[in-house]
Amino acid sequence: MSNVKEWMDCLDRFIVEEDKIVTYKWLSIKLKIHVNTSKKLLYSYANSHDKEKLGICYLVAGEMPDGSCHFVVCRKKDVPKTKELFKNVTSQHVYSIQKRDSDADLNVILNSPVKRIEECIEDFKRLTSIEYSESVVRDNSDFQKLKMKALLASKEAVPSICNPADAVSEDKKPIKTEKENLPSNNTNKEPKKESVNGNKKGGLAAMFAAQKEVKTEAKKPVPQQNKPKGGMSMFLDSKKETGADKTNKRIKIESPKKQDLSPSEESPQMDVDMPSEEERESKKVHDTKFHIGSKSKTSQSKRKRKDKAEEKQKKKRKRIMTVSDSESNDDDNEEEEERIDDSPLREPTPPPPALSDDEAPVVGKKGKKKKLVESTFMDEEGFLVTKKEYTLVSDSEEEGETEKVSKSEKESQKPGDETAPTAEKKSPAKEPQKASAAKKESKPSKSKISPKSKISPQKNKQASITSFFTKK
Amino acid sequence: MKLHENSSSGCLLQGPEDLDASDKVFQRVSSSYKNLSQKFRHRAKDFSKQFAHIYAARLTEQRGTLLEKVYKKWGPGIRVARLAELGELSGEKCVIIGTLFKDQELKPSILKEISEERGFCLNVPAQPVNNRYTSSSDKLILEDELQRITLFGTIDVASLVTGIICAILGNEDNLGKFSVDDVCWVGTVFPPETPIKLESDRFLVLVSGLDLKSNNAESSLAMELMADWLSGWIGDPNDQQHASKVARLIIAGNAVSSSPEKKERTTVIETSRVEESSTVLSAVQQLDNLLEQLVMNMPVDVMPGEFDPSNHSLPQQPLHFCMFPKAANYKTMNGVPNPYLCEMDGRLLVGTSGQPIADVLRFSDVTDPISALESTLSWGHIAPTAPDTLDCYPYYNSDPFILGQQPDVYFAGNQDSFQTKLVDIQSSGAETATYKTRLVCVPAFTKTRTCVVVNLRNLECYPMTFGSS
């Protein structure tokens, strides 16, 4: 019985020194003794320390007169009273002992030790009075099965959910998820990113070296895909001769990019290279795209208009990029690009002042026009929402300019397979101006960068926006 | 007989000198078990179908059973007619079979709500504030595959609900209504053979509405006591021996939560959202801890309830095992769907977490959950009001809620109080055998701190309450 002596000492320590609420269960786990032994220990402790004012709780269980069974925890003084309620008392033992009797709610008192017990749940099995051999721990294969089941369930569920005529929503989903990977070909911002990407990745040099190829590539797909490109490629061939070519080339560089983007071959590259910022950006682009897409479903012309508007924006950004490029090295460019990427999306793109100055007079004819405005705001749920909306804006110089540029671009595309000169001829009103502007821009850039590489001209043009006025 | 006859309580009220005498370890009984709930598991989710298919499937599936009963009840010569044939019969007595539709003015309707909001129709009776939508103007309409006909006569409109399949004896009157003489319900099919009689007591414990989200101190002590009782900690050796005969615990719904989550519109979402879900999260964790203690010692079936983190429409799919990382380690942890069907030691158990019963109560004048439960048994359908007023999956080629074979234990969880009834169903026909079904309304544990013990040997049933005085 040395064990018992030891246990009693422990119990005494727990209760008196550590001031714990000792329940039979806790004691059983603590001392690793059978639960019924623990109950007896508590009982003999309660008996031997009868004179002290211990707070002792009893458990009484039994059958009520109405046939129901009850397990009741009560204070020692209430035991006789409780027992009277029962028709037949089947269990009675000490539930817990604590140093001081208090009037606090038993529920509250007795809840606390339970939490501690949870830590030693492994002991539960050994100390309780019921053994259950069939409670087996699942092995790995079992878990695998469970997981497979769950997986299968979800897999089956997903397609069948999508199957029903919700074609629209379904269409949206894949695109959304693939945003980063597979930019849709008609996103106008994507191309720019790509080009930037190229710069970043292969280094400018690589890109530039390959520029000739780009050109040729562009030429090939152009005829089948869309006329504008064909026209542009023609422009490109002759780009070095005229400023107009320059502008067109700019467009052209974008368009091949567009083509390249849609196939998935391009996507890995994007995945790898795109900084998260850009991904986010592209997402936004897509989202906004969707917006526009849904809106424009009604009429083709509308869509065109929107495309134009977007192109316009793209243009602006291009220019900004070039600025950065010409004036800074690659790394800078990267940063610059990111910054720029962000800014235009959030608010209407501020067009380069130089150009607007130049072109303002021509454009000024319009009083008011619809303008695609992007606004970013935080909704009630705390998400950043970027919205593209058409708003009536009084035609400022800058807008006029951008509008014009896009228009001219459009026009330049129209000619299709024709050469640059014809294109220019066909759109006499606007094209010349643009061409001239482009000329002005492009010349300096050309001189600067053309030896080095060919993609840069695009950027140089934009760079030149700021610089060419001064130089010229 | 309940706990044990030889009431030797007090053997633990002694010193620990005589260690061996009381330190018995009992072996928990094991029982044969078969989960028959496969029909409630979704294989593919297809929500494109209309709900009408359920009624069609229900009618086709139950027509056969019903015809048998009709011929038994009213004689084999009785004329069973389709509604379309009533015209030819010109008022002759016949039996029609179809689905009941209860036309209720007070039934909540989204159209009414909208028109009230807009002030379109002013003569629409106001929606009742209480959760009962019956009124004296309710009408019963019987629909078969093609037509419908209004019923009147000896049929208790108030106690019936939409979606019941029945056969009606009567005749059509001049006005095109059907005068009812008698009604025959589908009921259940007798099991092919009488189950093996158990030789010793074997208990099934039913508990529902643990509602760990409420974090109620009183009920968490009671829960602890219950877990201690089930796993053999508490009580004298005799009580422990009794507890060792509990072969299975079924948690019949709302273990995590028993009230809808409050949808508070808050301004700063990120933080508030985390808070909201964290109450559920911690409740699930608590449930995991509780379950772990239990499953180490006995098989536990966990059914999802109306407010548990599962799907809302019937049949509710089992709570995912990943929610219980500790308890799921044991094979005895058993996630089961909401209408739950299984066989234990030859006894067929069927039960729900209570939604169908609550819905029947809302749309009929039945006030007693146990009689609603009994009605659904006689109607032969677990949830007749689905899909009309009870959410359910749009089944289209079968109706899994049909009670085919008569169950031995039929329970509904999350009721206000414990109720039980032993239904004795006479098999009408040649054999005079009766078949007993134990109906149990399992009370919500948070409200009553009571679980239900069913003896599978003799279908005796009594409540077990835990708590402090």
Side-chain angles (χ1 to χ4, degrees), chain A residues 25 36-37 39-40 69 71 73-74 90-91 93 111 114 128-129 131 134-136 138 142 156 380-381, chain B residues 3 18 22-23 26-28 30 43 224 228 231-233 235-236 239-240 269 328-329 331 333 465 467:
Chain A
K25 195 176 173 186
N36 288 357
T37 311
K39 291 170 193 167
K40 288 185 200 165
C69 294
F71 279 81
V73 178
C74 61
T90 56
S91 290
H93 62 76
N111 255 338
V114 170
T128 175
S129 67
E131 221 174 59
E134 288 171 35
S135 151
V136 190
R138 290 182 208 266
D142 268 345
E156 276 168 7
E380 319 104 302
E381 302 212 324
Chain B
L3 290 178
D18 182 16
S22 61
D23 292 1
F26 305 98
Q27 282 292 325
R28 184 175 297 283
S30 61
R43 271 174 212 91
E224 194 62 34
D228 288 350
S231 45
W233 290 90
D236 284 10
D239 274 350
Q240 290 168 344
I269 321 318
N329 282 323
K331 284 181 175 169
M333 165 77 195
T465 309

Side-chain angles (χ1 to χ4, degrees), chain A residues 41-256:
Chain A
L41 271 180
L42 283 177
Y43 178 76
S44 65
Y45 184 88
N47 263 0
S48 56
H49 299 75
D50 211 12
K51 274 140 210 150
E52 299 162 37
K53 295 217 162 180
L54 293 173
I56 303 170
C57 290
Y58 274 79
L59 176 110
V60 182
E63 195 185 332
M64 291 286 193
D66 64 357
S68 64
C69 294
H70 284 245
F71 279 81
V72 179
V73 178
C74 61
R75 291 197 172 77
K76 195 184 177 187
K77 60 178 188 328
D78 297 328
V79 169
K81 213 166 63 188
T82 311
K83 279 168 88 170
E84 274 172 29
L85 297 172
F86 289 92
K87 189 177 89 185
N88 177 16
V89 174
T90 56
S91 290
Q92 187 185 353
H93 62 76
V94 180
Y95 187 86
S96 72
I97 299 182
Q98 59 185 342
K99 202 164 150 190
R100 248 168 251 95
D101 205 355
S102 70
D103 288 332
D105 189 357
L106 278 184
N107 294 312
V108 177
I109 301 172
L110 299 178
N111 255 338
S112 39
V114 170
K115 305 283 178 310
R116 263 171 272 154
I117 283 170
E118 278 166 9
E119 293 156 22
C120 24
I121 197 139
E122 274 313 306
D123 291 326
F124 271 46
K125 250 183 161 161
R126 294 187 289 125
L127 306 172
T128 175
S129 67
I130 298 178
E131 221 174 59
Y132 185 58
S133 47
E134 288 171 35
S135 151
V136 190
V137 176
R138 290 182 208 266
D139 53 16
N140 258 343
S141 63
D142 268 345
F143 264 112
Q144 287 305 319
K145 269 186 218 161
L146 273 179
K147 275 177 196 164
M148 281 307 289
K149 253 197 208 165
L151 266 179
L152 278 178
S154 59
K155 263 182 194 165
E156 276 168 7
V158 170
S160 49
I161 282 173
C162 293
N163 279 342
D166 296 346
V168 184
S169 64
E170 219 195 335
D171 284 347
K172 274 184 182 173
K173 269 180 217 159
I175 295 173
K176 267 186 184 170
T177 50
E178 287 162 23
K179 275 173 222 159
E180 295 99 318
N181 305 339
L182 285 178
S184 58
N185 18 359
N186 56 347
T187 41
N188 289 320
K189 280 161 190 170
E190 226 50 273
K192 177 213 72 195
K193 253 173 242 156
E194 241 322 292
S195 66
V196 173
N197 218 10
N199 292 344
K200 267 184 275 164
K201 176 200 169 195
L204 274 176
M207 198 61 178
F208 292 173
Q211 202 221 5
K212 268 250 150 80
E213 288 169 28
V214 170
K215 227 192 285 171
T216 53
E217 266 175 38
K219 269 186 205 167
K220 277 177 221 158
V222 158
Q224 313 121 340
Q225 287 205 353
N226 42 1
K227 290 173 185 175
K229 274 159 195 165
M232 282 187 282
S233 67
M234 299 311 258
F235 278 101
L236 274 169
D237 285 345
S238 55
K239 67 179 169 179
K240 267 155 197 169
E241 293 150 29
T242 60
D245 291 347
K246 282 276 150 103
T247 39
N248 285 316
K249 196 192 86 195
R250 191 200 312 154
I251 299 158
K252 189 231 127 189
I253 281 165
E254 281 169 18
S255 48

